[in-house]
Amino acid sequence: MKYTVLAAFAVFTALAGADEYKLDLFYSQKPWKSATKSKTISYKFDGKEKCVRFFEPCLVKTQFTLPQAQFNKKFTGITFKVKGDGSDNYGNLTISGTQIFGLRTTFPTKNTQWVEYRVAFKDMAPFSDFSAVPESAVAGNKFYEIAIGDNRSIGPGNKKRQAYSYLIKDLHLTDKVFPATGKKVNTAPLSSVLEKMKAGKAVSLLFLGDSITAGTGLQKSASECYAAQLTGMLQKKFNNKNITWRTGAVGGFHTYEVLSYLDRDLAAGTPDAIFVLIGYNSRTSGQNTGIYASHIELLIQRIAQKTGSQSAIVLLPTVPGVPRFTTQQDMAEVCRKLAKQYSLATIDLDKRIEALGPEQYKAKYLRDGIHPNAEGHKFFAQTLFELFK
């Protein structure tokens, strides 16, 4: 995703007696400019709170300049304060320098009192198809831009995003030492999910991905998408109406956006199984195989960490489109390799499609060059159903 920088203004001040540095960006509207054309208000100074309120969906940006003496200082993360509007939504903050280096964090807007967040760079998400998460401290001269918001008009399941707002103040760069993130990754086996289904117990399924998973173009996506059809098949097979599903899939999503919104997608509770199918849009943007692999591996690790290793992961290889029938094969192989490395469930959905050939796949299962029709989603669901036989 490409944006034009529209503003550049900031004052950089040190906090006495602390190893933190304040980016004084929120004291007025002056530093900020909307990066998109919109008829609605996207940001406004709040005279009572003495800081800026941001109205999502939006994308508001500014630039800052560190003093020369701070260019090479190593920072480990950021701290900032948020006051939400009481809604069950998430705000967005991105700190970046170039298209290949930037980091993003999201935060809930439920709390209507000021809450301070301290976020390590290593725990943030990459902000583009070309960026990665650093494992160590970062020099100050790597950053010069702050972006607030997400201007997408749709959310999970391609439902329209409702307007909401939040206040931000007191943004600092910090060199605080954050706790180490464990590298050990364990996930629940899919067999344990199968046993719960057989026993009639409640089983929750979460589907992450882009427009293919969200059901873009379907007349009744809530019942025709492969997530819904698979759930129906499982309910029937095990005579278990306690098998339910939810989605975090959004049309247009890239790998870094699935990473960004993981906290939001897990907020409704720890699912028994998480299905992941992502990569088509990232390849459209030119993401290389190395970055794709790093994003998917990071996603596996974070799912395991955030769910306490209680969720099984089904990692699906990226699927072809038509005429883009072979451009995803290297990404699909990455998924197979990582699934084997981390003992994840997977199935060769892409190879089933390749066996059909582009002409038959498009004629029978696609509504356009990318998105499955209802029969295509049924084909996806039937293929995934084999994992539970």
Side-chain angles (χ1 to χ4, degrees):
M1 192 176 295
K2 186 178 181 181
Y3 302 119
T4 302
V5 177
L6 300 176
F9 186 88
V11 177
F12 189 74
T13 58
L15 292 180
D19 293 320
E20 296 185 349
Y21 296 87
K22 185 176 181 180
L23 293 168
D24 200 4
L25 299 168
F26 298 91
Y27 69 96
S28 78
Q29 293 179 206
K30 293 180 181 179
W32 301 94
K33 294 291 182 182
S34 176
T36 59
K37 293 181 179 179
S38 175
K39 294 181 180 180
T40 59
I41 296 174
S42 54
Y43 64 105
K44 184 178 181 181
F45 182 73
D46 188 303
K48 180 179 179 181
E49 297 287 355
K50 305 300 181 184
C51 61
V52 179
R53 180 180 292 275
F54 297 91
F55 300 85
E56 293 219 30
C58 70
L59 183 62
V60 183
K61 305 179 80 171
T62 190
Q63 285 189 325
F64 62 90
T65 302
L66 300 183
Q68 188 71 32
Q70 303 297 331
F71 269 21
N72 295 317
K73 181 175 175 60
K74 297 286 187 178
F75 295 101
T76 58
I78 55 175
T79 72
F80 58 97
K81 294 178 181 177
V82 174
K83 186 175 184 179
D85 64 355
S87 63
D88 292 319
N89 292 297
Y90 278 71
N92 304 266
L93 188 154
T94 300
I95 180 168
S96 62
T98 66
Q99 184 67 7
I100 62 172
F101 191 83
L103 299 163
R104 188 182 192 188
T105 188
T106 60
F107 45 84
T109 60
K110 185 70 173 178
N111 203 314
T112 57
Q113 302 298 316
W114 285 105
V115 177
E116 183 178 61
Y117 293 92
R118 305 180 70 87
V119 188
F121 290 145
K122 63 182 178 62
D123 294 330
M124 295 174 74
F127 94 120
S128 78
D129 287 315
F130 315 106
S131 57
V133 175
E135 295 184 359
S136 57
V138 179
N141 59 15
K142 288 284 188 178
F143 301 114
Y144 58 76
E145 184 172 273
I146 299 288
I148 304 295
D150 181 345
N151 65 324
R152 289 192 182 280
S153 60
I154 56 175
N158 288 351
K159 293 182 179 179
K160 184 179 179 181
R161 292 180 68 201
Q162 300 300 312
Y164 60 98
S165 68
Y166 48 87
L167 297 148
I168 300 180
K169 68 178 181 180
D170 296 345
L171 174 64
H172 301 83
L173 297 172
T174 180
D175 64 0
K176 166 185 167 60
V177 177
F178 288 86
T181 303
K183 292 292 184 180
K184 186 177 181 181
V185 172
N186 293 308
T187 59
L190 194 61
S191 59
S192 65
V193 182
L194 180 59
E195 290 304 313
K196 289 184 70 174
M197 291 180 178
K198 290 179 179 178
K201 296 180 179 179
V203 173
S204 61
L205 310 176
L206 172 63
F207 294 80
L208 303 179
D210 52 30
S211 56
I212 295 173
T213 299
T216 293
L218 295 175
Q219 290 186 349
K220 300 177 181 179
S221 61
S223 59
E224 293 179 335
C225 71
Y226 73 81
Q229 294 200 54
L230 173 62
T231 303
M233 292 175 186
L234 293 170
Q235 289 175 341
K236 183 177 180 180
K237 176 180 175 62
F238 298 110
N239 191 27
N240 183 352
K241 292 296 184 182
N242 294 317
I243 302 171
T244 59
W245 70 280
R246 67 182 193 263
T247 186
V250 179
F253 255 23
H254 298 233
T255 53
Y256 66 91
E257 289 171 302
V258 176
L259 278 162
S260 296
Y261 282 106
L262 192 55
D263 283 340
R264 178 199 68 185
D265 295 332
L266 294 173
T270 300
D272 293 284
I274 300 175
F275 295 77
V276 178
L277 173 57
I278 191 68
Y280 201 95
N281 296 313
S282 293
R283 177 49 53 85
T284 301
S285 295
Q287 186 182 64
N288 64 50
T289 308
I291 293 294
Y292 178 75
S294 70
H295 284 193
I296 298 299
E297 184 166 21
L298 184 60
L299 180 61
I300 294 167
Q301 293 170 349
R302 290 192 174 173
I303 288 175
Q305 292 157 4
K306 291 177 182 294
T307 63
S309 301
Q310 296 302 303
S311 297
I313 299 175
V314 181
L315 181 58
L316 301 176
T318 53
V319 296
V322 179
R324 284 176 52 183
F325 204 68
T326 60
T327 57
Q328 316 292 123
Q329 289 174 332
D330 56 341
M331 288 180 162
E333 291 304 321
V334 164
C335 293
R336 272 184 278 274
K337 180 179 178 181
L338 288 172
K340 182 177 181 180
Q341 178 181 340
Y342 287 99
S343 300
L344 309 180
T346 189
I347 196 164
D348 294 332
L349 177 59
D350 62 314
K351 291 188 179 296
R352 305 287 181 92
I353 294 171
E354 289 174 9
L356 291 170
E359 292 81 11
Q360 185 177 354
Y361 181 50
K362 183 174 183 179
K364 189 173 182 179
Y365 293 129
L366 292 183
R367 60 172 296 274
D368 52 29
I370 303 171
H371 304 102
N373 55 25
E375 279 300 307
H377 278 272
K378 182 178 180 181
F379 170 68
F380 278 36
Q382 289 173 330
T383 303
L384 297 182
F385 183 67
E386 295 176 19
L387 291 167
F388 297 90
K389 290 184 177 179

